[in-house]
Amino acid sequence: MGIDGAALPFLLLGALAGGFVTGLAGFGTGLAAAGVWFHALEPGTVPPLVALVSVGGQAVASLFVRHAFDRRRAGPYLVGGVLGVPLGVAALAVASPDMLRLAVGLLLVGYTLLSMARRLPSPPPSRAADAAVGLGGGVLGGFAGLSGPLPVIWLRLRGGSADAQRAVYQPFNLVVLALAAAAMAVAGAMDLAALTAAAICLPVALAAAWTGARLYRRIDAALFHRIVTGLLCLSGLVLIAEAV
């Protein structure tokens, strides 16, 4: 199905859901929107559309946590992420997407089940470990647009306020997904269909991200962490279902 009148409701619904979830939780555009967009677009159009809309949603949502941004804390993640994106793009030629989806899905579901069953130990501070997590997120971002899960899990294990965690993983996602979008453009994936769909979706996604971010400011920390845990688990289940 092309971008016509029948596709328009799917495009707008996906943009609304993806933008709102990104504003509320700080990640999850692809989780909320991709399944809807696959009903309206050719499969090859969806990944670049997810990348473009994700960048817009992350930019808006980051405005609400900019007061907590700490360059020193975020630096190792960003350096690792920048180095990881080209590795992830290169891995596209040799690795199996289904095996990656299955592995990441099992990781997400396993983490959420363990975190709900008991309190997991907090790892000691380590800038090298932070950079390694950023590298892994960059590889996953360049390979499949999955930049968020590893930093989100790691930062939750490290602890701290919701604002402090989001002030690291949102700029990280913004940078990694922008680089992934640029890599897709160089590879020729940013065709006219993707750009046209993005022009339609972005205004809705930006407004929805703003609404979701404003709601985030009104909820307490416990509810926010339950929302993030639920999204991580749902994301893992979706990835497992796609792989099998």
Side-chain angles (χ1 to χ4, degrees):
M1 188 185 300
I3 301 178
D4 54 21
L8 188 59
F10 291 98
L11 286 175
L12 297 180
L13 179 61
L16 182 66
F20 181 79
V21 168
T22 298
L24 179 62
F27 69 101
T29 300
L31 168 65
V36 180
W37 286 336
F38 274 119
H39 290 287
L41 301 167
E42 294 295 327
T45 302
V46 174
L49 176 60
V50 169
L52 290 171
V53 174
S54 295
V55 169
Q58 290 290 346
V60 169
S62 294
L63 295 175
F64 288 79
V65 293
R66 64 187 184 278
H67 61 279
F69 183 66
D70 184 339
R71 294 181 188 175
R72 189 174 186 280
R73 188 182 186 197
Y77 296 91
L78 292 171
V79 171
V82 169
L83 295 176
V85 169
L87 297 178
V89 173
L92 283 170
V94 295
S96 166
D98 285 339
M99 289 301 296
L100 177 71
R101 292 188 183 99
L102 181 60
V104 175
L106 291 173
L107 170 67
L108 295 180
V109 172
Y111 162 77
T112 53
L113 291 177
L114 284 174
S115 67
M116 288 186 290
R118 60 180 179 176
R119 181 176 176 83
L120 298 176
S122 177
S126 168
R127 292 173 66 81
D130 294 344
V133 170
L135 179 69
V139 171
L140 291 177
F143 187 89
L146 297 171
S147 61
L150 288 182
V152 170
I153 290 174
W154 183 250
L155 286 162
R156 293 197 66 192
L157 290 174
R158 292 285 298 274
S161 69
D163 274 3
Q165 293 178 33
R166 287 186 64 151
V168 174
Y169 71 70
Q170 282 197 222
F172 173 84
N173 284 335
L174 178 60
V175 170
V176 168
L177 291 170
L179 289 174
M184 291 178 189
V186 171
M190 289 289 180
D191 57 12
L192 181 60
L195 295 175
T196 302
I200 294 170
C201 292
L202 270 172
V204 176
L206 296 179
W210 183 272
T211 303
R214 287 182 62 86
L215 179 60
Y216 159 72
R217 304 305 307 170
R218 297 174 181 269
I219 62 178
D220 60 31
L223 177 56
F224 173 75
H225 287 303
R226 286 197 294 270
I227 290 171
V228 170
T229 299
L231 284 173
L232 288 172
C233 187
L234 179 59
S235 179
L237 292 172
V238 170
L239 289 171
I240 292 171
E242 289 177 345
V244 300

